[in-house]
Every structure is written in C-alpha cells, then in structure tokens.
Amino acid sequence: MEVDPPLDLAPVLEAASEFASYPGLQNDASAKEFLDRFPLHTLFSVLQTKADVPGTEDTMVSCLDKIFRTKYGASLLLDYAPFIQVGLQANSQAVRRLACKAVSYLLENTGDRVGALQIIVAYNVYPLLLSCLVDGDEQTSAASLEAVKDIAQSPEGISIIFPGHGEGPFLIKNIAVQSSSLARIRILALVAKLFALSSSLATAVYSSNLLNLFEVEINNGHDMLTTLSALELLYELVESPHSSMFLLRTTLLQKLTSMVSNSSVDSVLRSRAALISGRILSSSDAYTAVDISSVTALLAAIDERLKVLGGQNTDEYESALEALGLIGAISQGATLLLSSSPVARHVIESAFDRHSRGKQLAGLHALASICGVDRPEDKMLLDSKAEENLRRLIYTAAANTSKLNPSGLILSILRQEPEIRLAGYRLISGLVVRPWCLMEICLNPEIITIVTDAKIETAKTGMDARHHCCTVISTALSSSNLLQDAAVARTAAKLQEAVRRGPYVIKEHVEAQPIVMTAERF
C-alpha cells in the first residue's frame, strides 16, 4: 500500500505567515498563486493535524482568513462546505471564529448567494452559528452574530431564520430559556440587530414573539447587571425608525413605567427605563398605536420620581428631564405634557435653575423640544390650552426669581458658559414663534446684542446655533405687527444685518506694516 510522504511543515508555515502578514488585503491573483502552491486541502490538513505545534493554528487561521476575504478564495468555499460545518463545532475558538467569518465571506464574496444559502441549509449551518453565539468567546460570538445578520440580508435568508414551519424562532427562544445570563444577553443582542435591519425583519421578530424575551429580562429582578444589559440593548433597538409601532403592541411600555415608579430598583435602571420610554414615544407613529392612558401613566410615574428626588442633582433627575424632552418633541406628546399632566413644571423650573448646571442644561434642552424647536414650522404651536399653560408656567417661574420676567431669565442664560448659551439659543428658537415671547425678546436690547454678536461664539456649533436663533427671531419679527414701533424696526434691521453676515466671523484684511526695533545683541 502506497503511503503519502510526510508533509514538510516548515515551508507551509513560512509561506502562510508571509501571506497572512501582508499589509492590507490580498487580491484574487495572489490568493490563486498561493493556493496553486498549497491547495486548500493541504492547509486544512495542517490546521487539523498540526494544531498542537506552537504558532501553527494562529498562522493557518490568519492565512485562511486572508484567502477567504478574496472573491477567489470565497468561491472555493462552495466546494468546502464540510469545513464550515466541522469548523463551527471545533474545540478551538480561533477555528470556530474562522468558520463563522467563512459564512459571511461565502455570502458576501462568491457572487452566488442562492448557492451559498443552499449550502447553509444543507449543512445545518444556522443552528451551529447560534451555538457559537451563545457558547463562544467574545470574538467568536461577535463573528457569529455578523454571519447571522448576513444570512438575513435577503428574503431567502430570512426564511432560514424565520421559516413558515419548523423550529425557526423557537430555536432562539429555547436557547434563551436554557442558557446562562450572558448567553441570554447575546440572544437579545441578536434579536435587536435583526429587528433593526429592515421593517420585514422587525415584523418577523414581532410575529415570532421574540420581543417577549426583553420583557422577561426586564421582569427579572434577581440580576441587576443582566437587567441593565437588556435595557441597553432595548435602548439600541428603539433607535430603529420602525420600533414604536411594534413595541407599543407589547407590554414593554407598561413594564418600563413600572420600573420608573419602583423605588426599590437601582436608580440606573429607572433612568434607563425612563429614557427608553421617551424614545418609544418620540415618534409621531407612536400616537397612532399607543393607548393615551399608558402615556399619562408614564408621565405620572416620572412626575412622582421627580418629586421624590426634589432638587437633587442626580443622573436620574437629568435622565427624567431628557425623557420628557423626547416625549415633548412630538406635538401630541407636548400637548399631553402641558395639558394633562403637572410634570412640565419640573422641566421649566430646572431650565431656569442656575444652581445645578447639569439639571439646567437638561431642562433647557427638554423645554426647547417641548416648545417645538425640532418640529416643522406648522407644528411648533400647540392647542390653546397647552399654549396658555406653557406661558403661565414660564411667567410663574420668572416671577419666583429676581429676574421677574422671561426676558430676564433668557438673558441670564445667554450670559453663562458656551454650552448653556447654546441650549439658550435652541430654547429661543423654539419659543420665539409665540407672540408673547417675541415681544419679550425684542424689547430686551441686551438679548439682541448677544444673538447678533458674531464674535461671542468660538466653536462652530455655537456659531451655527447663534445664527439660526438670529434667523428665527428675524423671521418671526418680519411677519409680526411689532414693526410699527420705531425701536422694534431698528431691532429688525439689526437682526437682518446679522443674518446677512452669516454665522462666522469674517476677518478684515490687514495690510502688512513694517516694524522698527532695536536689534538684540548678545
């Protein structure tokens, strides 16, 4: 019987090391040239039989990774699917990680996605990727998550993860139920990533009841760190533009409200719950799906927490203010804040409280959002009841200070540090569409002097905010009946000139001047 000559390991390792260490990406020609010298089956044989030789596994894994990154190398994976299947079940984390990446390369670089998906189904790759997700080290888990995301990039791939029949999403749920807290969080990370990819995947996630996994973790009061991790992933999930319409069909908002009002849980959890709730309700689509009683219950819970915290300068207080700003950014939310709940007074009182910088900054931005600074112009104003309450609350806050009127409060904001001043510009831009505020601003020459001063800001964001504020005041004034007053007309002209100059300081040209001085001598 003829026996294959023993493989000389040294030249293979030397060539593989040189190929792997090449700076940047290898191209198809170099990959083909390398594989003509050392075919894939030879490289796999070295990886399988010589892995105990120090440095061999790392070198071969790096080399194969570079090969599979090329279109030529990835195309060969169509004929080496057993390697992917075996690699995903290997004891070595490096090999499992390579196999996970090979799935991604197979889908991205072969140009034959249909054939790649057929291999993934035929070799039962998807369940093996889930095993790598929950059991692998951090890098392997991340690589498997990316591979599953790549599978989900087409309708055919979605049907692998969410088939019309069979295990599908039940596999994910069963793994979550039977796994450690770390594995459960990894499953939630996968759900969040899939949800954010497209509206069709979000629909599949919702229909498969996978959002319930978040509810289970939020209800779990035994492990604070796991609950916080689940909230962080939920916070990431609600950034998806289609999140509100699905999340509001679950009981998540109610559970988050319960967490906000629960004094026995850690303040970090309450803060995160408030911010997530605010994000869920910061979409206009939310109010077509939500029961208004759920929103008022959340506002009542936040109001109660702010009462308990009092004047304390805590992260929880600032997070609650930010949440109110998110809710108030939408006209429906702002109307509820100002008409159906006493909670808005906390925002206004904080905005004009100079004793706590963080709280004042959060309050100013929240109040600007409620006033409509980020809403379209035709939706900045609210109904008459909400507008009257806004006006009353601001005048009451002013009367309780030494400034006595809103213009005095606004001027004190503009005299503070740049970050507070920037928030002040944003607040004025939201408020000044209201005639009573426009009059307060225009009859205070010191405010006009600041907003028209092109040299007061040194950072680009501050310059842009000041100029935008100036433009909004000028626009509001030009369409008002205040121009009949001569002093106001002069203010309007000053604003128009500032708008015309633009946001940035234009340095005047200075002619070079000769300087005569005594020469220095040693």
Side-chain angles (χ1 to χ4, degrees), residues 295-343:
V295 184
T296 54
L298 173 64
L299 295 179
I302 294 175
D303 181 46
E304 193 58 38
R305 281 307 305 167
L306 291 174
K307 286 178 184 176
V308 171
L309 292 169
Q312 297 178 50
N313 180 20
T314 65
D315 291 339
E316 184 180 356
Y317 202 107
E318 293 169 24
S319 294
L321 293 175
E322 185 179 345
L324 294 175
L326 289 167
I327 295 169
I330 302 300
S331 54
Q332 299 98 316
T335 300
L336 282 172
L337 274 168
L338 291 164
S339 303
S340 308
S341 170
V343 74

Side-chain angles (χ1 to χ4, degrees), residues 142-153:
S144 64
L145 191 150
E146 289 301 315
V148 175
K149 281 175 57 182
D150 288 331
I151 292 172
Q153 295 290 346

Side-chain angles (χ1 to χ4, degrees), residues 416-434:
Q416 293 183 60
E417 62 179 282
E419 196 171 2
I420 296 289
R421 200 161 56 240
L422 189 148
Y425 296 139
R426 189 167 177 268
L427 175 59
I428 295 172
S429 299
L431 272 175
V432 81
V433 297
R434 295 158 175 86

Side-chain angles (χ1 to χ4, degrees), residues 284-436:
S284 56
D285 295 337
Y287 292 88
T288 62
V290 71
D291 186 338
I292 296 300
S293 63
S294 297
V295 184
T296 54
L298 173 64
L299 295 179
I302 294 175
D303 181 46
E304 193 58 38
R305 281 307 305 167
L306 291 174
K307 286 178 184 176
V308 171
L309 292 169
Q312 297 178 50
N313 180 20
T314 65
D315 291 339
E316 184 180 356
Y317 202 107
E318 293 169 24
S319 294
L321 293 175
E322 185 179 345
L324 294 175
L326 289 167
I327 295 169
I330 302 300
S331 54
Q332 299 98 316
T335 300
L336 282 172
L337 274 168
L338 291 164
S339 303
S340 308
S341 170
V343 74
R345 76 180 189 280
H346 297 291
V347 176
I348 293 169
E349 289 171 0
S350 298
F352 301 120
D353 180 8
R354 295 191 61 172
H355 301 293
S356 173
R357 179 188 178 279
K359 195 168 75 170
Q360 182 180 22
L361 196 58
L364 284 168
H365 282 298
L367 182 54
S369 295
I370 294 168
C371 292
V373 70
D374 298 319
R375 295 197 291 269
E377 189 175 344
D378 61 338
K379 293 186 178 180
M380 291 183 76
L381 293 175
L382 307 171
D383 63 34
S384 57
K385 181 181 178 183
E387 286 294 335
E388 179 53 35
N389 283 343
L390 174 63
R391 181 179 182 277
R392 177 180 53 79
L393 286 168
I394 290 178
Y395 272 96
T396 300
N400 290 332
T401 70
S402 60
K403 306 303 178 184
L404 300 180
N405 55 51
S407 65
L409 288 178
I410 291 170
L411 179 60
S412 71
I413 290 168
L414 296 180
R415 284 174 170 169
Q416 293 183 60
E417 62 179 282
E419 196 171 2
I420 296 289
R421 200 161 56 240
L422 189 148
Y425 296 139
R426 189 167 177 268
L427 175 59
I428 295 172
S429 299
L431 272 175
V432 81
V433 297
R434 295 158 175 86
W436 60 266

Side-chain angles (χ1 to χ4, degrees), residues 60-73:
M60 298 310 300
V61 165
S62 297
C63 176
L64 287 166
D65 182 70
K66 286 261 189 174
I67 290 171
F68 295 148
R69 283 176 185 267
T70 67
K71 290 185 180 298
Y72 177 75

